[in-house]
Amino acid sequence: MYKCISFTILICKTINVLIPSNKTPNLSEMYTNGDREEEIKAFDKSKTGTKGLVDSDIKTIPKIFVRPPEEILENFSIEGEKLGIPVINLKGLENDEEHERIVNEIKNATEKWGFFQVVNHGIPLEVLDKTIQGIRRFHEQDPEIKKEFYSTDSNQVVYTGEYELDKTKAVDWRDSLTLNKCQIDHIDPQLLPTICRKEILDHTNNVLKLGNNILELLLEALGLKPEPNMKDLECDKGWACRYHYYPACPQPELALGILKHTDGSFLTVLLQDQLGGLQVLYNNQWVDVRPVPGALIINIGDLFQ
């Protein structure tokens, strides 16, 4: 089985400016009885995700999105508001002195946080910005076009809300476009949505290189260099990319974009837009990951740990 690198993009939307299409069903009428099984069926049948709910101008979110009472009472306020995950400057990586500094900073950040942000990582800001723009175009396009990619199966290219609708306590308030290369050798570019195909290809090509560089530095921080190398570990053979979109929620106090979790991958390279919203758990405190222009967030996954 391939070790898997995961790429994630987070796009938040605070204001709903889209006018519902006359092809979009009135989903508010589909969620009236509060029965979980029926709500799940209605949500899956619509194939329009949480964006479809917002476009239908609902005022009350379906109960499948409402967190259990004990979780709603959980404190997600930022007690550690003065804390911030480390930001590591990768500039000068080829210089021996700077290389040593970078390795040491990555080692310390990994040991203490399990997260860090990187700047001057070699991926042009234009590529990151265009990726966010392209993914936003996909999620905000005519829902009838998006439906062509809708599935809850683990296909190569999938648009969906939540994969396991019937297995979660509360469904995540988000929509996702997912590319999955963890079990195959190649993803056909023609399978990608036309509206963001170029942006996805540019993004994945760049982030794969960065992911391998970060893994090399992590191995060096562990004292495992020069062996093994990334080719031996085949860490770049399997990867998944998830482009998350979070439309404005009419009852944000009841739902979460993504429930608290750990990443099962080897490594996650994450890009969030400038609205932010990502939090990490540090010493039993939820800490905001403040957006840094051009930065990428590195999350050490369960496989690596």
Side-chain angles (χ1 to χ4, degrees), residues 83-227:
L83 294 173
I85 69 171
V87 179
I88 299 175
N89 187 349
L90 299 184
K91 186 176 181 179
L93 188 60
E94 303 303 320
N95 177 281
D96 289 344
E97 186 175 333
E98 286 297 291
H99 187 98
E100 183 178 358
R101 170 192 63 79
I102 292 169
V103 170
N104 287 333
E105 289 184 6
I106 287 178
K107 179 180 179 181
N108 291 333
T110 302
E111 289 176 345
K112 294 179 180 179
W113 284 84
F115 289 86
F116 54 91
Q117 299 200 64
V118 291
V119 295
N120 290 318
H121 41 65
I123 301 179
L125 180 60
E126 181 183 20
V127 170
L128 302 180
D129 287 345
K130 286 187 175 181
T131 301
I132 290 177
Q133 293 165 13
I135 297 305
R136 182 176 285 117
R137 286 197 304 272
F138 171 82
H139 285 288
E140 295 179 359
Q141 69 181 323
D142 187 318
E144 295 301 315
I145 300 176
K146 285 191 297 184
K147 286 181 180 180
E148 298 175 12
F149 296 92
Y150 184 86
S151 175
T152 54
D153 297 326
S154 56
N155 299 326
Q156 293 182 40
V157 181
V158 170
Y159 159 67
T160 187
E162 174 68 58
Y163 279 108
E164 299 180 326
L165 289 169
D166 59 340
K167 296 181 181 180
T168 58
K169 291 183 179 179
V171 176
D172 293 340
W173 186 265
R174 62 166 170 85
D175 298 329
S176 302
L177 176 64
T178 299
L179 281 63
N180 189 350
K181 190 182 172 292
C182 285
Q183 303 296 334
I184 60 174
D185 293 324
H186 175 70
I187 288 182
D188 184 353
Q190 297 304 311
L191 295 177
L192 301 175
T194 305
I195 198 169
C196 56
R197 180 180 299 157
K198 183 181 186 305
E199 289 79 5
I200 287 177
L201 292 173
D202 288 345
H203 170 251
T204 53
N205 288 337
N206 277 278
V207 178
L208 268 174
K209 295 175 184 176
L210 174 64
N212 281 333
N213 290 340
I214 295 295
L215 284 169
E216 293 276 4
L217 292 168
L218 284 167
L219 290 179
E220 191 171 345
L222 289 171
L224 297 178
K225 296 296 294 177
E227 298 293 342

Side-chain angles (χ1 to χ4, degrees), residues 17-34:
V17 296
L18 292 188
I19 300 174
S21 166
N22 56 13
K23 297 180 181 179
T24 302
N26 185 353
L27 297 182
S28 60
E29 297 178 356
M30 301 170 67
Y31 299 98
T32 54
N33 60 12

